[in-house]
């Protein structure tokens, strides 16, 4: 039929026109539509600097040049090699410049004001107009004496040492290496109870079901804990200075992690 042949020819012609239009759009822009080849060329040009920067960064790392992550790793090794806490504190101050500021001279009241004091309740500090206008002021007379905080630092060091000793005593009390029921732990002081809660929380976080037995190493790598749930109707109550901690009974084994030589 002549009409069917005409329709078939028209469809074939339209198909070839669409193909030609698609091919033409790859290379020729139309109105507000940019050609696909131009878009591809722009993307390729934009990717070249990024690729060169990535290659340069890889070459710098291979050549041994220092970067921030490498600097922090070296600093971590320095901290690990310090022989005492005092050396570690000195290294911290040198590395991060944590020194008291002595370059700002203001007429500060003589009385000590706690850091938690609201600014509205704190005593007034007089600011010289020249400092407010120019940002600098030449101090008159000798420089103010640096306040001796040796006693406060000694008291803080004593408190830290006492807390560390209490935590270590709690660790020695709990990390016996023997399997113990929670109901048989007895009364725990505040430090032992806080350590126990931290260990219990890490072990319970690894459970997928309440009846699963888990073995977990603490985040600091010092202890291993194995927690085995007992029957669902079991009950354990631990008396502490903060109250009574109760729940399902478990068999817990806490052991110190082996030291890495």
């Amino acid at each position: 039929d002549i009409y069917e042949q005409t329709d078939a020819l028209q469809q074939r012609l339209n198909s070839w026109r669409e193909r030609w239009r698609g091919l033409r759009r790859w290379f020729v822009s139309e109105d507000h539509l940019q050609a696909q080849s131009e878009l591809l060329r722009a993307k390729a040009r934009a990717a070249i600097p990024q690729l060169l920067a990535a290659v340069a960064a890889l070459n710098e790392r291979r050549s041994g040049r220092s970067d921030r992550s490498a600097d922090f790793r070296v600093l971590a090794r320095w901290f690990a090699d310090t022989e005492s806490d005092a050396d570690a504190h000195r290294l911290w101050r040198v590395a991060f410049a944590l020194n008291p500021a002595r370059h700002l001279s203001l007429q500060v009241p003589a009385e000590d004001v706690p850091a938690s004091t609201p600014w509205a309740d704190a005593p007034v500090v007089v600011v010289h107009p020249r400092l407010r206008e120019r940002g600098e002021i030449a101090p008159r007379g000798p420089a103010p004496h640096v306040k001796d905080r040796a006693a406060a630092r000694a008291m803080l060091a004593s408190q830290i040492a006492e807390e560390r000793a209490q935590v270590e005593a709690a660790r020695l009390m709990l990390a016996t290496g023997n399997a113990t029921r929670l109901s048989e732990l007895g009364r725990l002081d505040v430090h032992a109870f806080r350590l126990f809660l931290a260990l219990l929380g890490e072990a319970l976080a690894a459970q997928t079901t309440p009846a699963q037995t888990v073995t977990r190493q603490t985040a600091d790598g010092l202890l291993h804990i194995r927690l085995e749930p007992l029957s669902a109707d079991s009950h354990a109550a631990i008396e502490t200075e903060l109250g009574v901690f109760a729940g399902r009974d478990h068999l817990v084994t806490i052991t110190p992690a082996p030291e890495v030589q």
Side-chain angles (χ1 to χ4, degrees), residues 180-244:
T180 308
R181 296 171 64 111
L182 296 183
S183 56
E184 298 175 353
L185 284 178
R187 184 178 179 84
L188 299 179
D189 58 19
V190 174
H191 300 282
F193 182 60
R194 288 176 179 173
L195 177 60
F196 168 75
L197 280 184
L199 297 175
L200 187 63
E202 292 193 18
L204 292 177
Q207 280 186 335
T208 57
T209 60
Q212 180 185 3
T213 300
V214 294
T215 301
R216 187 73 180 268
Q217 185 177 11
T218 57
D220 55 9
L222 297 178
L223 298 174
H224 287 280
I225 178 171
R226 184 180 186 275
L227 192 66
E228 179 182 352
L230 299 181
S231 58
D233 58 348
S234 60
H235 182 76
I238 302 175
E239 295 184 0
T240 69
E241 299 177 7
L242 304 176
V244 178

Side-chain angles (χ1 to χ4, degrees), residues 14 16-26 30:
N14 293 336
W16 278 105
R17 285 177 178 174
E18 290 295 332
R19 294 181 182 181
W20 175 253
R21 187 178 296 110
L23 179 62
R24 188 172 183 273
R25 286 178 179 176
W26 264 97
E30 294 181 359

Side-chain angles (χ1 to χ4, degrees), residues 26-27 29 34-49:
W26 264 97
F27 302 99
S29 301
Q34 192 174 2
Q36 296 294 326
S37 59
E38 295 294 335
L39 294 175
L40 181 60
R41 186 180 295 109
K43 294 291 184 180
R45 288 179 177 177
I48 290 175

Side-chain angles (χ1 to χ4, degrees), residues 30-31 35-36 61 65 92 94 110 154 166 188 192 196 208 218 229 247 259:
E30 294 181 359
D31 298 333
Q36 296 294 326
R61 293 183 180 180
R65 294 182 60 181
W92 178 273
V94 172
Q166 292 172 348
L188 299 179
F196 168 75
T208 57
T218 57
E259 296 184 359

